[in-house]
Amino acid sequence: LLSPLWERVLFFGRDRTEIQLLQNIEERLLTRSDLQQFLENVLAAVRDHLQSPSAFVAALDGDELSLSVVAGNRQMLEEEHLNDALHLVSQNGTSERHEFIWGDYWVLPLHQRKTNGDRDEVPPLLGLLGIARKADQPLDGDQRDALWLLANRVALALEDRQLQQRV
């Protein structure tokens, strides 16, 4: 019970951050199938909430964007090019709560949580959440808030995935 407290007191500098990293991993460990299932469930909730035929999560690994999960009509997505969506998000700023229109999709950038509380800090991009949209259907305030809540959960899962890959 007191072990984590004593570890923090005894280890300083770089060792302290490594201890905290290991403790975080222990608390947030997900298998690939757990992550896949979690993302599928979130995408199902997104699609249900927006009555969307398709949604996807794409993870950023280095400079490459790769599909992690696709829910619904996959054919809608195969016609599009994911790197174009990444380019759109990269070119138009890094505002945390801004959705972009990319073809027939809304695209939400998924960012890592801010580490030091600095309001000007731009956290790294983890991936994209895409939701098929109807051209005549804008997002209302409640839909937007719910969508960003779900997007933040996806970002947290991708952050955990990235953390586990580093170890």
Side-chain angles (χ1 to χ4, degrees):
L1 182 64
L2 294 176
S3 172
L5 176 62
W6 285 112
E7 287 172 352
R8 287 187 200 123
V9 170
L10 294 174
F11 293 100
F12 299 98
R14 200 177 104 190
D15 291 337
R16 175 181 261 169
T17 58
E18 289 177 5
I19 293 290
Q20 288 175 331
L21 176 67
L22 289 173
Q23 288 172 342
N24 276 342
I25 289 174
E26 186 177 293
E27 295 168 3
R28 296 164 50 179
L29 189 62
L30 286 174
T31 65
R32 285 185 182 174
S33 62
D34 290 342
L35 177 64
Q36 181 87 10
Q37 187 174 17
F38 176 76
L39 294 176
E40 287 172 357
N41 289 338
V42 172
L43 288 182
V46 166
R47 289 182 56 226
D48 184 50
H49 189 70
L50 298 177
Q51 297 299 300
S52 173
S54 177
F56 69 88
V57 172
L60 190 61
D61 293 318
D63 293 335
E64 289 292 316
L65 194 63
S66 60
L67 279 175
S68 293
V69 179
V70 178
N73 187 350
R74 189 179 194 95
Q75 291 176 341
M76 288 180 69
L77 182 62
E78 290 175 345
E79 298 167 9
E80 307 286 351
H81 299 283
L82 281 177
N83 287 329
D84 293 343
L86 180 61
H87 184 72
L88 172 72
V89 169
S90 299
Q91 293 299 320
N92 291 305
T94 55
S95 173
E96 275 195 60
R97 280 187 55 114
H98 179 75
E99 53 278 341
F100 299 92
I101 294 177
W102 172 62
D104 293 331
Y105 285 85
W106 283 301
V107 175
L108 285 69
L110 303 170
H111 290 276
Q112 188 172 340
R113 289 177 293 168
K114 292 184 179 184
T115 54
N116 62 8
D118 181 7
R119 290 183 356 175
D120 295 330
E121 175 188 8
V122 178
L125 185 67
L126 297 169
L128 302 174
L129 171 62
I131 306 98
R133 66 182 188 90
K134 297 176 186 161
D136 60 345
Q137 180 188 17
L139 284 175
D140 67 32
D142 290 338
Q143 286 177 324
R144 187 172 189 267
D145 289 343
L147 182 57
W148 277 103
L149 177 70
L150 293 169
N152 289 337
R153 290 183 181 165
V154 171
L156 190 59
L158 291 181
E159 189 177 330
D160 288 350
R161 172 185 170 266
Q162 200 173 65
L163 180 67
Q164 288 173 292
Q165 286 177 340
R166 279 190 284 166
V167 173

